[in-house]
Amino acid sequence: MTEQDVTRLLQKIPQLKQEIGKVIVGQQQVLDEVLVALLAGGHALLEGVPGLAKTLLVRTLAQATDLPFRRIQFTPDLMPTDILGTEILEEDHGTGHRSFKFNEGPIFASLVLADEINRTPPKTQAALLEAMQEGHVTYAGQEHALPKPFFLLATQNPIEQSGTYPLPEAQLDRFLLYVRIGYPTEQEELAVLSGTTGTSRQQVQPVLGGEEVRQLQQLTRQVSISEELLSLVNRLVRATRPATSEVKFIRDYGRWGAGPRAGQALILCAKARALIHGRFAATLEDIQALAPAVLRHRVLLNFNAEAENLTPDDAVRELLKAVSL
């Protein structure tokens, strides 16, 4: 890409946020983290109580990026073939010849919303693993490539346990970011009430296309990061492991630490955040801002931590205090 191409692409990121902001009030940190996951080429898990516009955020992102969008509503009776697709028997009326044809499921879209992913059994949840990691689906021994870019956003409700199936740690690790959505501020909630109970409807215009998203993903990997920050990320991730950690909080309350994938995720996300803010070099601020979303689903605490109401976010705060440049 030429310098003019890069400048044009970077100018579209604020436009993209502006278009999404027509519908989504506030939630700037959540929006930034979702865009970071998109530019880093990973997937994101959104967690929040009902009514916080998780589904609306994903749908609006699809409109603003002009990407093929599909929504999958996860239910207890959903089967893997309902997601991936299945083979159907077709007959050529001219020759009478019969053959099987693969009928693509809703996973074959550039932007996929896996709504309430924890409401379906592990067998169906696991059907997403190959698609998320490899970018293709295998059915009857044949590989079927998914569109590029492929971005999966899953949502889950943290307050309901009846009829839900918590995601296993191995599957949680496939998500680049674990994004928590909180309640809006008083002024933001007032703006939501005012803007959604009248007759006017905001129209979201597409800003980015699929090819431009791919270019931004390539550009993200070209963002520079210093050797000192690489070393910091390495030490930060290694400090999450109780057996070898020098951080007292982790030794006392940690059960399992993060693997090398966490370091890769944190570096890529820091680069993506730098690009979103118009920079071509990642900074310590980028790493500190994204460490909670990268590590909160990769650091497991023991029963003592649960008894004291400590969370992985508490662990990340202690890690950031203890591990410095």
Side-chain angles (χ1 to χ4, degrees):
M1 289 186 291
T2 65
E3 186 177 344
Q4 290 80 4
D5 292 333
V6 173
T7 302
R8 177 181 55 82
L9 278 175
L10 293 184
Q11 288 173 345
K12 289 196 172 187
I13 295 177
Q15 297 174 22
L16 178 67
K17 296 174 70 173
Q18 184 178 358
E19 286 298 315
I20 296 175
K22 290 180 179 179
V23 177
I24 304 299
V25 178
Q27 303 290 8
Q28 286 303 308
Q29 182 179 345
V30 173
L31 177 56
D32 281 351
E33 290 177 353
V34 169
L35 292 179
V36 161
L38 176 63
L39 266 59
H43 311 284
L45 177 63
L46 306 180
E47 182 183 86
V49 300
L52 295 183
K54 299 185 295 295
T55 303
L56 182 61
L57 171 62
V58 181
R59 187 178 295 279
T60 307
L61 175 63
Q63 293 171 346
T65 53
D66 198 25
L67 294 174
F69 170 71
R70 299 294 294 272
R71 172 183 175 178
I72 308 171
Q73 181 64 51
F74 281 73
T75 58
D77 60 347
L78 196 73
M79 298 297 290
T81 52
D82 296 327
I83 300 172
L84 306 180
T86 186
E87 285 186 337
I88 56 175
L89 186 62
E90 285 193 341
E91 181 178 351
D92 188 324
H93 295 290
T95 63
H97 178 71
R98 294 182 177 181
S99 61
F100 283 101
K101 176 187 176 184
F102 182 70
N103 191 26
E104 296 179 348
I107 194 74
F108 286 86
S110 289
L111 181 54
V112 177
L113 169 60
D115 214 2
E116 296 185 298
I117 191 173
N118 58 336
R119 285 197 173 277
T120 201
K123 177 181 179 180
T124 306
Q125 292 173 356
L128 296 172
L129 288 179
E130 183 184 18
M132 293 170 63
Q133 187 68 23
E134 308 296 340
H136 61 72
V137 166
T138 302
Y139 190 93
Q142 297 293 320
E143 289 185 3
H144 304 273
L146 293 168
K148 292 183 179 180
F150 173 68
F151 184 40
L152 185 136
L153 278 161
T155 69
Q156 67 177 16
N157 181 348
I159 61 174
E160 292 181 352
Q161 295 185 358
S162 177
T164 62
Y165 304 84
L167 292 172
E169 284 77 9
Q171 187 164 342
L172 279 174
D173 194 42
R174 307 282 175 155
F175 287 99
L176 191 73
L177 294 180
Y178 188 163
V179 181
R180 288 236 169 93
I181 302 179
Y183 290 109
T185 65
E186 182 177 356
Q187 291 303 315
E188 290 170 351
E189 192 162 358
L190 185 61
V192 169
L193 296 177
S194 173
T196 58
T197 56
T199 57
S200 62
R201 290 290 183 270
Q202 292 287 347
Q203 296 296 319
V204 178
Q205 301 300 321
V207 176
L208 287 175
E211 181 58 33
E212 290 171 318
V213 171
R214 286 194 294 271
Q215 290 174 346
L216 282 169
Q217 290 175 343
Q218 293 170 2
L219 195 59
T220 295
R221 290 182 171 269
Q222 298 174 28
V223 172
S224 64
I225 184 169
S226 67
E227 291 295 328
E228 290 82 3
L229 289 180
L230 282 174
S231 175
L232 173 68
V233 170
N234 189 40
R235 288 185 286 117
L236 186 65
V237 172
R238 293 181 65 82
T240 65
R241 302 163 190 168
T244 56
S245 180
E246 297 180 357
V247 180
K248 185 177 185 302
F249 185 99
I250 297 298
R251 292 199 307 270
D252 292 344
Y253 298 112
R255 183 157 57 97
W256 290 103
R261 186 182 284 149
Q264 295 170 331
L266 187 50
I267 291 168
L268 273 176
C269 288
K271 289 184 174 185
R273 186 178 185 273
L275 199 64
I276 288 173
H277 287 81
R279 292 182 274 107
F280 292 97
T283 65
L284 177 61
E285 181 189 356
D286 296 322
I287 291 170
Q288 292 173 335
L290 289 164
V294 170
L295 294 175
R296 64 168 53 110
H297 57 301
R298 294 182 167 101
V299 175
L300 304 182
L301 302 183
N302 57 28
F303 293 111
N304 293 333
E306 293 182 21
E308 297 184 31
N309 290 323
L310 297 173
T311 66
D313 282 9
D314 296 321
V316 175
R317 278 192 290 271
E318 293 298 322
L319 285 163
L320 290 173
K321 290 178 186 176
V323 180
S324 58
L325 286 173

